[in-house]
Amino acid sequence: VTLSGTPGRGGNIRMRGLGGGYTQILLDGERVQGGLSLDSIDPDQIERIEILRAPTAETGARAIAGTINIITREGRRGMPSELKVGSSFQGGYSGPTASLVQYKDSERWSANYTLSANRWSGPDHSQTDQVTNGVNTRQRITDTHYERQGLNTSARLQFKGDPGESLTLMPFVAFSQGTTPGSMLASQSLNNAAPTTTTATTGTDNQFWVARLNGQWKQKLSADSNVEWKFNVGGWNSHSVLHQNSLNTAVLPNIQEDSLTQDRSVNLGGKYTNVMGGGHQWVS
């Protein structure tokens, strides 16, 4: 399992050296909606991570490299409330985080709620040099400062009925927004002529939110068979605005981009399991 992107800042998850598109990422058994950054999920919300190296009846054959299933935390017994506050530091900038967990239960039901907030901030510097045929040269030096704030909350409500019967509801809401203002210094020399230099201001503003509700109903039909129903309803929006304003468009172009991507979905699935004896099961 490897991560692409800048070291220390997360990135696409890959398995077996294949591209990110060959690895299936699930959150509580459901495909992660596009635009959701996994590093924005507070670790306190995660109970365990399953790595599946082959297709199964539950995950299908969408992933050639494998499947990573992130399971959010179920209700735990112990302290009814827990508050955690911390911070990281990078390049002289702090990244505070805070999370609140509450747990309640009774004889037939249990519930836990998690609310977390985070903020990332830091500088970034990059330089690109390009030489073509030994006579054309281009150089770009970029300095940016990125800021991102996030808020996400999740809950798990579980009701237990007769033996083998349970209903679980798992709402999840996440919101994040960020900005990356910066500047760019560019120079180019064509046919070994004197270089032409210009500057530009750059900036990217982005906003993302996702809201979904997962549900699961389990029922025991007999001593050897059971049925499980799952449903998922939700959606997400991703909005990004990019601009680049140059003093010399012959060296650096002006760029104005505004993109909006959104998705709404409803899924319903059922699984029937029957123990046939001899170490065999029928699953459909």
Side-chain angles (χ1 to χ4, degrees):
V1 179
T2 58
L3 289 174
S4 62
T6 305
R9 297 186 187 173
N12 293 329
I13 304 176
R14 301 180 178 184
M15 293 179 65
R16 297 178 175 174
L18 299 179
Y22 294 97
T23 302
Q24 181 173 234
I25 308 297
L26 305 178
L27 186 63
D28 289 326
E30 296 292 336
R31 293 175 66 86
V32 172
Q33 310 292 355
L36 174 63
S37 177
L38 293 181
D39 60 355
S40 67
I41 301 177
D42 193 284
D44 286 333
Q45 293 181 288
I46 299 174
E47 177 180 299
R48 67 184 187 275
I49 298 176
E50 300 174 344
I51 298 180
L52 309 176
R53 295 181 293 174
T56 66
E58 289 83 0
T59 62
R62 294 178 177 177
I64 296 176
T67 297
I68 296 177
N69 188 20
I70 301 173
I71 308 297
T72 55
R73 185 168 66 181
E74 294 186 6
R76 61 174 185 174
R77 301 186 183 278
M79 293 173 33
S81 299
E82 183 179 274
L83 174 65
K84 288 186 177 181
V85 179
S87 182
S88 62
F89 297 90
Q90 175 178 290
Y93 295 88
S94 63
T97 62
S99 66
L100 174 65
V101 180
Q102 287 191 320
Y103 172 74
K104 299 180 179 181
D105 72 334
S106 66
E107 182 179 353
R108 283 190 170 268
W109 65 271
S110 64
N112 73 292
Y113 315 88
T114 301
L115 174 66
S116 62
N118 45 64
R119 180 179 182 271
W120 291 272
S121 180
D124 195 8
H125 174 84
S126 65
Q127 178 174 327
T128 304
D129 297 283
Q130 180 182 357
V131 180
T132 306
N133 298 328
V135 295
N136 298 328
T137 61
R138 289 182 172 87
Q139 183 185 73
R140 293 187 179 184
I141 301 175
T142 305
D143 287 283
T144 60
H145 174 262
Y146 70 93
E147 292 184 359
R148 186 176 68 179
Q149 302 85 32
L151 178 70
N152 52 74
T153 180
S154 66
R156 184 183 292 261
L157 314 174
Q158 187 172 64
F159 174 80
K160 295 183 179 180
D162 298 331
E165 184 181 56
S166 66
L167 172 64
T168 305
L169 298 177
M170 295 170 288
F172 177 80
V173 177
F175 173 80
S176 67
Q177 64 178 8
T179 180
T180 310
S183 62
M184 182 181 298
L185 173 65
S187 65
Q188 70 176 17
S189 174
L190 304 179
N191 298 320
N192 289 327
T196 303
T197 304
T198 189
T199 60
T201 58
T202 63
T204 302
D205 298 314
N206 56 76
Q207 187 180 86
F208 174 82
W209 67 260
V210 57
R212 64 176 178 81
L213 173 64
N214 284 353
Q216 184 181 70
W217 169 261
K218 293 182 179 181
Q219 185 177 14
K220 198 172 187 63
L221 302 179
S222 66
D224 299 325
S225 63
N226 61 76
V227 65
E228 176 182 314
W229 291 97
K230 288 184 178 181
F231 72 87
N232 173 276
V233 57
W236 56 269
N237 272 36
S238 180
H239 185 208
S240 177
V241 178
L242 168 68
H243 69 84
Q244 177 176 293
N245 300 321
S246 174
L247 296 180
N248 186 345
T249 57
V251 180
L252 280 177
N254 287 331
I255 299 176
Q256 298 288 335
E257 294 182 358
D258 192 320
S259 63
L260 173 64
T261 307
Q262 59 184 11
D263 178 83
R264 306 291 183 268
S265 63
V266 176
N267 299 290
L268 175 65
K271 183 177 71 169
Y272 170 76
T273 304
N274 183 42
V275 180
M276 304 174 63
H280 299 285
Q281 283 187 340
W282 176 278
V283 181
S284 57

